[in-house]
Every structure is written in structure tokens, then in C-alpha cells.
Amino acid sequence: MIKNNGTRDDALPRRGQVKEVTSLANPVIKDIKALSQKKNREASGHFIAEGLKLVIDALDTGWHIDTLIYAISAKGKPLVDKVAARVVAGGGLVLEVSEKVLSSVTHRDNPQSVVGIFRSRWMPLADVRPKKGETWVALDRVRDPGNLGTIIRTADAAGASGVILIGETTDPFALETVRATMGSVFAMPVVRASVADFLKWQRGAGVNVVATHLKGAIDYRKPDFAARPVVLLMGNEQAGLPDELAEAADIRVRIPQQGRADSLNLAIATGIMLFEARRHLLALDDR
Ligand code: SAM
């Protein structure tokens, strides 16, 4: 929730209008900066995404933009003006800000010239009813924002249907994660579930849960990925999958390795699994 409680000239932005803001002390800017913390994102239900293309793609796919911020230097660029007009027409707030303000929001020295504040979306687990041909990724306690962002992007590229986050995980709406998704956060439904809720759901969902495990006895290319909808179950970066999840899966597979590395990076392993699981559905002439 971005408040409209400013008092000075600089601090009076209203919805449905464009306002110039140059002060770091502006209360709206302060609220937006607070979104860099998970607790504030959760309390307000909003997150930050950077980049003009990404903001346009998000608007085109029906995402609600609460506030649009752009650098004063970007004013007059046709695409920026067009997107600002769309946000104003939709009742959103548009702020023209100095580079200094933009850097403070994105924590970058050379920020993108356009930033959007969006309402977060979580898909309820009960609404996930996979159909044949669908692939979902389930991540156990994923910790690294870069890994999660890369997985969301890769899942989108592979044509997966969504990502289920099990247990205590990093936030898909953190700035670093959103950056790593390269816009796919707007295309991939994200779901969160406790271990108990996930196990209950998988029993009734008619899915083939393929767990990946360093002790898996089956080669990852062997399962029949076409018969039922697939859930690829991936373990935590440090600890791998707990027995409770691994044993409840339909099958435990391993990606054979050579060389000295103990294991693959989680995002790389997920990418390999996704493209193997969807091999029968992917063809070069698909696009
Ligand atoms: N020390 C952890 C362990 O013992 O499982 C390593 C975890 S690994 C970095 C993170 C996750 O990536 C694993 O839980 C698994 O889901 C997947 N993974 C990595 N390498 C794999 C491989 N060779 N075969 C199957 N899954 C793999």
C-alpha cells in the first residue's frame, strides 16, 4: 500500500496524475524504498520491478501497476509517455523523479529509467489442478534469490505451468529475484505451501512427482514424463531434499555426473530436468 500522505509540494502525489519528486524524504518514496525489506513487501502486498519493457509486458498481461516511477531524463520518450498515460488512466500514481531518487529505490548506481510498483500475486495451492502435458516445479526451502529468479525464468522458457515454494523460502518478489526472472515473474504463477500441505495436495492431484536426489537410483531420462502431469521436486541448496519429501515422491532420479563436483547448482539441475521432462512437447517450430 503506497500512501498518499505528503505535506510539502514535492510530497503531494495523487493517483491518476503525474507528479515530480526530487526529495529522498518524500513519504511515497520512503514507502517504496521500504519495499526492499521482505516484511514490508508482505505487509503492503507490493513489490518493485525495473525496466520499461518489463513494465509494458506486465501491463499487457493484466498486472495492476500501483505506481510508476521514471527518471526525469526519460520524459518525452514516446514509450515512457505512453506507459505513463496508461497508468494514469488506470488510476495509478506516476512519479517523475531525479536519478538520485531512482537510485535510492533500486539500490543501483545506474538504475533503469523506469520502475513499477506492482501488487504481488500468490496462487493458492488448492487452485493448482495440473492437467496432462503440464509441468510444475516444486522447490524445497530455496534460499538463493538468484537461483529462484533463474528457475522462474527457466520454467517460463520451458513452458512449465508454475512454481510451488515449499517451506521457508526466499521471496519471489524480492528485487534481486525479480531482476533474475527477467520478467517471467509476471508469467509464472507462484504458490507457497508447507510440507504437510504439499504432501496432502500431491496425494490428490493425480500428478507424477519426480524427485531429484543425489542418491536417486534412476537415471533422470528414464521416467515416463508424458503419462501424467509432472511435478519436478527439487531440494534445498545445502541440505538437498528431506526424506519426508523424497520418500513420498513417485520416483527419485539422479542426473549422472562426472568430474569432481559433488552436485549441480539447483537452478542448473532444475533447467536440465525441465527440458528433459518437456522434451516431447518442445520443438523448434513452436514459436
Ligand atoms: N548437498 C546437497 C545434497 O546432498 O543433496 C546438494 C544439493 S544440490 C546443490 C541442490 C538440489 O539440486 C538437489 O537437492 C537436487 O534437487 C538438485 N541436484 C543437483 N545435482 C543433482 C544431480 N546430479 N542429480 C539430481 N539432482 C541434483
Side-chain angles (χ1 to χ4, degrees), residues 27-84:
V28 178
I29 296 300
K30 277 184 162 178
D31 282 347
I32 292 171
K33 278 162 65 178
L35 295 177
S36 64
Q37 290 187 355
K38 186 177 182 184
K39 65 171 196 260
N40 295 327
R41 285 192 299 276
E42 289 194 342
S44 79
H46 287 85
F47 69 100
I48 302 174
E50 309 154 87
L52 178 62
K53 182 183 178 301
L54 191 144
V55 165
I56 293 172
D57 285 352
L59 286 172
D60 286 347
T61 50
W63 279 72
H64 176 81
I65 186 160
D66 188 276
T67 304
L68 179 79
I69 309 178
Y70 60 82
I72 293 166
S73 57
K75 187 180 176 178
K77 292 188 178 163
L79 280 176
V80 175
D81 286 354
K82 210 169 150 189
V83 85

Side-chain angles (χ1 to χ4, degrees), residues 65-125:
I65 186 160
D66 188 276
T67 304
L68 179 79
I69 309 178
Y70 60 82
I72 293 166
S73 57
K75 187 180 176 178
K77 292 188 178 163
L79 280 176
V80 175
D81 286 354
K82 210 169 150 189
V83 85
R86 280 177 76 179
V87 174
V88 168
L93 184 61
V94 179
L95 304 178
E96 271 175 29
V97 303
S98 59
E99 297 283 343
K100 187 179 63 176
V101 169
L102 208 52
S103 291
S104 78
V105 166
T106 60
H107 304 275
R108 279 198 193 210
D109 287 341
N110 295 307
Q112 297 257 8
S113 56
V114 175
V115 168
I117 314 302
F118 293 87
R119 213 170 282 155
S120 319
R121 275 189 203 167
W122 291 98
M123 183 172 185
L125 184 61

Side-chain angles (χ1 to χ4, degrees), residues 212-214 234-238 240 254-255 257 263-264 266 269:
T212 56
H213 204 287
L214 298 185
M234 312 298 301
N236 165 270
E237 289 98 332
Q238 278 78 41
R254 178 159 44 107
I255 304 165
Q257 292 183 209
S263 64
L264 293 160
L266 170 64

